[in-house]
Amino acid sequence: MNLPHMIPYAEPYYFLMLGFALAPIIFSLLFFQKRLTIYQAVVTCFFLFISFGGTYWQQGLALIGYVVWQSILVWCYFTYRKKSNQGIWFYLAVVLAILPLVITKITPFVLSGKESLFIFLGISYLTFKSVQMIMEIRDGMIKTYHPYRYIQFLLFFPTISSGPIDRYRRFEKDQVQPPTKERYLELLEKGVHHLFMGFLYKFIIGYYLGQVLLPIVSKGALAHGGISWSLLGYMYVYSLYLFFDFAGYSFFAVGTSYLMGYDTPINFNKPFLAWNIKEFWNRWHMSLSFWFRDYVYMRLMFFLMKKKWFKSKIVTSNIGYFALFLLMGVWHGLTWYYILYGIYHATLICLTDAWIRYKKKRKKKLPSNRFTHAFSVFMTFQAVCVSLLIFSGFLNQLFFK
């Protein structure tokens, strides 16, 4: 039997196999509150094989090499950290952890679009997990290192391709302590609900937006050229499509995790109802934004404040925002529109902070009611849609090709 290559959660046959594969895990957790460790490892290998096998065998080899590299690297740093804590070895470990990702990002830019041999689906999210592990070992938050648990954490197949990005200590707690029957019944209910929401978001709303409406407005915008009503339509349709498609995937990933007894964090929380851009990032791709906040922005701020490079805390904060969002833009790709996307969001956040400071000083003079809240939500939605239009790369196609 030749198993075809399958993108996770992309077709009905994948869900059929997923249901059969998870049935014993659900049964064991529901009636015995035990994990089928060996069986779960077999299921993981099977789904990794259909995701990275077949014509994509090179990605599979890259994944294996990557996991070996990160496992040895984390073990070496953990062994060193038990004896000493010099910064140079910590920074070296972080650089070596992100090196495979850097190579995959730079290669297309250097070699005129040619992909790196090291690339595989989900390398960014695995890298975030690896860097997180090294940083928490440095901070003394992780006291023990179990290679098998760490590999399970990296290769947790429901979330491997596009997140959500879990935290090792939370994941390990679920590994060693299966949920009680009452708790698992809650996870089971939530898991089924998330799966159905995923079908609604990705295969109904997302499909209509992406396969029906988006080609129409895209064709109209290209035909008119420049700024047009069709371009405005493209901006809104693409923004909604991106949300429903990605949120639908996240519902599948989180729902599958729940069925397996893992309380994986959610990724979206009604982001288009945010009343400012900072609140938007607390609701949009939450595991990624929280990762950048905790492991990049906060550490950068601590470093800048400790070194006292800037006298003003406001300037320091703004420098941190621009560094953070430029990094996030470059992470998406070395193109002008990803970099502009990062600069745009950094600028909006700095302006939002300035507005919040202004409001605090004039709290009694400025109205605050349902109308102002609704107006804030409306304006934030417009600002976000403009950013997603930049992110889409459509402007590059419209004006420069």
Side-chain angles (χ1 to χ4, degrees), residues 112-133:
S112 302
K114 185 177 180 181
E115 287 189 342
S116 168
L117 294 175
F118 300 102
I119 194 170
F120 60 86
L121 186 66
I123 185 173
S124 293
Y125 296 93
L126 267 64
T127 300
F128 294 146
K129 289 182 176 182
S130 301
V131 172
Q132 168 208 142
M133 187 79 171

Side-chain angles (χ1 to χ4, degrees), residues 18-35:
L18 188 64
F20 279 111
L22 295 187
I25 295 176
I26 295 171
F27 183 84
S28 179
L29 287 171
L30 187 59
F31 293 101
F32 303 105
Q33 292 76 59
K34 291 184 178 180
R35 294 203 179 280

Side-chain angles (χ1 to χ4, degrees), residues 74-267:
V74 172
W75 176 79
C76 288
Y77 183 72
F78 177 79
T79 303
Y80 163 77
R81 179 64 181 84
K82 290 192 296 184
K83 302 175 182 178
S84 185
N85 188 25
Q86 293 185 25
I88 186 173
W89 297 109
F90 163 69
Y91 293 121
L92 178 61
V94 171
V95 169
L96 292 175
I98 66 174
L99 183 61
L101 177 61
V102 171
I103 293 174
T104 62
K105 294 294 183 180
I106 291 178
T107 299
F109 183 76
V110 175
L111 300 181
S112 302
K114 185 177 180 181
E115 287 189 342
S116 168
L117 294 175
F118 300 102
I119 194 170
F120 60 86
L121 186 66
I123 185 173
S124 293
Y125 296 93
L126 267 64
T127 300
F128 294 146
K129 289 182 176 182
S130 301
V131 172
Q132 168 208 142
M133 187 79 171
I134 292 171
M135 288 185 172
E136 293 195 348
I137 290 173
R138 169 73 181 302
D139 295 342
M141 300 170 73
I142 295 177
K143 305 293 185 181
T144 59
Y145 175 60
H146 302 278
Y148 179 67
R149 292 179 189 171
Y150 175 61
I151 292 173
Q152 282 186 303
F153 171 63
L154 283 180
L155 297 180
F156 188 58
F157 78 88
T159 63
I160 191 171
S161 59
S162 298
I165 307 166
D166 208 345
R167 304 295 173 98
Y168 176 77
R169 287 177 295 147
R170 197 221 60 76
F171 183 86
E172 185 184 39
K173 184 179 178 181
D174 282 353
Q175 274 184 314
V176 299
Q177 187 176 348
T180 62
K181 185 174 183 179
E182 292 75 17
R183 175 57 181 155
Y184 184 64
L185 283 171
E186 294 177 7
L187 289 174
L188 197 59
E189 181 181 0
K190 289 168 62 179
V192 173
H193 176 264
H194 275 60
L195 290 177
F196 276 99
M197 289 297 293
F199 284 117
L200 172 64
Y201 273 42
K202 188 172 180 65
F203 294 127
I204 299 178
I205 302 176
Y207 176 84
Y208 183 76
L209 290 168
Q211 302 300 317
V212 179
L213 291 183
L214 196 60
I216 296 174
V217 292
S218 174
K219 185 178 179 180
L222 291 173
H224 284 89
I227 306 300
S228 65
W229 289 111
S230 295
L231 179 62
L232 189 67
Y234 179 92
M235 180 181 77
Y236 289 124
V237 171
Y238 176 82
S239 298
L240 293 173
Y241 161 70
L242 184 65
F243 166 68
F244 282 106
D245 184 74
F246 197 7
Y249 164 85
S250 294
F251 271 127
F252 289 139
V254 173
T256 303
S257 302
Y258 287 164
L259 297 184
M260 296 176 67
Y262 291 86
D263 195 9
T264 297
I266 61 173
N267 233 0

